[in-house]
């Protein structure tokens, strides 16, 4: 059993406070949905928890089973069991999925024996075309294929807690179903599963989304509404239904919903410290 605890988290980007006191607790087997309008700080929350450069935590804490996550570099967070499925998966030319997986297995002390078979089996479960397994990571894949690829990595690595940032964006309905159901299965898998990484309990999920559609495939136990860097309401799945019926205006004043979104912060490459910067060196 694992617990990710986020306590009164405040964070700034470029001097502007984006997260203004977030409290969230996600444990093994639970599915939490964080829903919010554009610019609410959803991706910022996932970036701060994973340790993406360019974000400053000004107060608060993030712990995994009581261990300070904020003190760890991103790779240690991943090895400790945190995993992010990115809103915009990064293309990594020249690096194949197989290489990424064998390095990741090695970093976790797992044997790479049978890695190819496992990759093929997991690809089959989510209808990810085996032809793509030999391509450079995410290169020349459609939006939907990238998300299947991300889901495949999640299923291979068996993290303890997964953050899915808009898994549904860019996905057609079939891909959405395949990916969401795989995650749902992981969240239900018994702790004593025979998978080599089993034994630490089923996956805890923090799914970040704009729309409730994905939640019909991945039903949440808890729903939180994030507006302007704060959770303004928390409840059960009925909160998503209310949001569907009444919109975000039911939860926050109109002016809080019009967060300045700047130029294209939603776009992946221009952020300070993004992986793409590495290729500019
Ligand atoms: P969401 O994912 O909820 O749509 P984000 O977390 O991407 O929102 O963005 C929240 C706010 O933070 C937006 O106003 C956005 O413009 C701002 N922001 C995000 N990243 C940066 C950045 N690197 N530099 C400046 N502002 C940023
Ligand atoms: Mg976002």
């Amino acid at each position: 059993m694992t617990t990710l605890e986020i306590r009164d988290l405040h964070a700034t980007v470029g001097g502007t406070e984006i997260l203004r006191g977030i409290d969230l607790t996600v444990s093994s087997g639970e599915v939490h949905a964080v829903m919010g309008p554009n610019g609410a700080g959803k991706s910022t929350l996932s970036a701060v928890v994973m340790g993406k450069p360019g974000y400053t935590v000004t107060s608060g804490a993030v712990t995994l089973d009581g261990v300070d996550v904020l003190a760890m570099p991103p790779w240690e967070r991943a090895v400790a069991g945190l995993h992010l499925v990115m809103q915009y998966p990064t293309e990594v030319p020249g690096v194949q999925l197989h290489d990424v997986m064998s390095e990741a297995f090695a970093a976790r002390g797992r044997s790479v024996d049978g890695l190819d078979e496992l990759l093929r089996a997991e690809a089959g479960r989510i209808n990810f075309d085996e032809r793509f397994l030999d391509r450079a990571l995410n290169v020349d894949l459609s939006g939907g294929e990238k998300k299947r690829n991300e889901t495949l990595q999640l299923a291979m690595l068996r993290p303890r807690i997964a953050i899915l940032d808009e898994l549904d964006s860019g996905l057609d309905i079939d891909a959405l179903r395949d990916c969401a159901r795989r995650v749902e299965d992981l969240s239900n898998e018994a702790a004593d599963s025979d998978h080599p990484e089993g034994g630490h309990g089923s996956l805890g999920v923090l799914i970040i989304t704009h729309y409730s559609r994905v939640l019909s495939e991945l039903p949440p136990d808890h729903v939180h509404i994030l507006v302007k860097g704060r959770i303004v309401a928390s409840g059960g799945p009925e909160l998503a239904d209310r949001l569907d019926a009444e919109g975000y205006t039911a939860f926050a004043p109109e002016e809080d919903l019009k967060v300045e979104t700047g130029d294209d912060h939603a776009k992946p490459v221009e952020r300070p410290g993004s992986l793409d910067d590495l290729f500019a060196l």
Side-chain angles (χ1 to χ4, degrees):
M1 166 83 170
T2 296
T3 301
L4 172 71
E5 229 183 308
I6 301 171
R7 282 288 152 266
D8 195 29
L9 186 65
H10 291 250
T12 60
V13 184
T16 307
E17 185 170 60
I18 305 295
L19 301 183
R20 303 186 306 138
I22 305 272
D23 289 286
L24 264 179
T25 303
V26 182
S27 292
S28 301
E30 295 177 354
V31 177
H32 290 250
V34 169
M35 308 183 73
N38 264 325
K42 304 185 298 299
S43 292
T44 302
L45 175 63
S46 66
V48 169
V49 172
M50 286 313 292
K52 185 172 174 180
Y55 299 81
T56 308
V57 173
T58 48
S59 63
V62 180
T63 57
L64 191 66
D65 289 336
V67 177
D68 182 9
V69 163
L70 298 176
M72 300 177 190
W75 68 269
E76 259 181 41
R77 300 181 196 202
V79 171
L82 287 175
H83 186 97
L84 172 65
V85 170
M86 287 184 275
Q87 181 170 7
Y88 299 101
T90 306
E91 294 187 8
V92 191
V95 179
Q96 288 188 1
L97 177 63
H98 184 276
D99 304 331
V100 176
M101 289 297 106
S102 31
E103 289 298 329
F105 273 41
R108 289 159 177 73
R110 278 170 67 183
S111 160
V112 295
D113 291 347
L115 182 69
D116 282 317
E117 291 72 27
L118 194 56
L119 264 175
R120 276 169 219 295
E122 286 292 353
R125 276 187 82 157
I126 54 165
N127 296 309
F128 184 65
D129 196 319
E130 282 195 17
R131 281 181 304 139
F132 300 149
L133 293 176
D134 299 321
R135 284 210 191 151
L137 200 67
N138 288 324
V139 174
D140 295 331
L141 297 188
S142 71
E145 288 156 358
K146 284 181 183 171
K147 292 294 174 89
R148 285 192 212 258
N149 195 4
E150 293 285 303
T151 306
L152 172 66
Q153 293 168 53
L154 169 68
M156 292 291 293
L157 293 176
R158 299 298 168 108
R160 292 159 193 259
I161 305 284
I163 303 174
L164 315 172
D165 190 4
E166 306 223 8
L167 178 69
D168 42 348
S169 76
L171 275 188
D172 60 49
I173 195 82
D174 291 331
L176 178 63
R177 187 176 306 118
D178 289 340
C179 292
R181 287 197 180 158
R182 186 70 191 96
V183 176
E184 161 77 357
D185 284 350
L186 289 168
S187 78
N188 288 328
E189 203 159 81
D192 59 356
S193 100
D194 56 5
H195 188 279
E197 285 294 286
H200 58 59
S202 41
L203 181 69
V205 178
L206 183 60
I207 175 154
I208 291 172
T209 184
H210 220 75
Y211 301 111
S212 56
R213 194 184 64 163
V214 65
L215 304 182
S216 57
E217 301 291 350
L218 180 57
D221 305 297
H222 306 275
V223 174
H224 313 272
I225 310 286
L226 180 73
V227 175
K228 214 176 171 185
R230 276 206 187 104
I231 289 173
V232 296
S234 285
E238 73 286 348
L239 215 54
D241 298 333
R242 186 168 160 222
L243 181 66
D244 241 2
E246 302 174 37
Y248 286 109
T249 45
F251 297 94
E254 195 86 46
E255 64 266 24
D256 283 0
L257 300 174
K258 288 196 225 103
V259 173
E260 191 49 61
T261 52
D263 261 334
D264 354 37
H265 294 303
K267 295 281 179 329
V269 290
E270 289 86 6
R271 294 193 182 192
S274 81
L275 187 57
D276 302 86
D277 292 353
L278 298 177
F279 295 99
L281 294 176

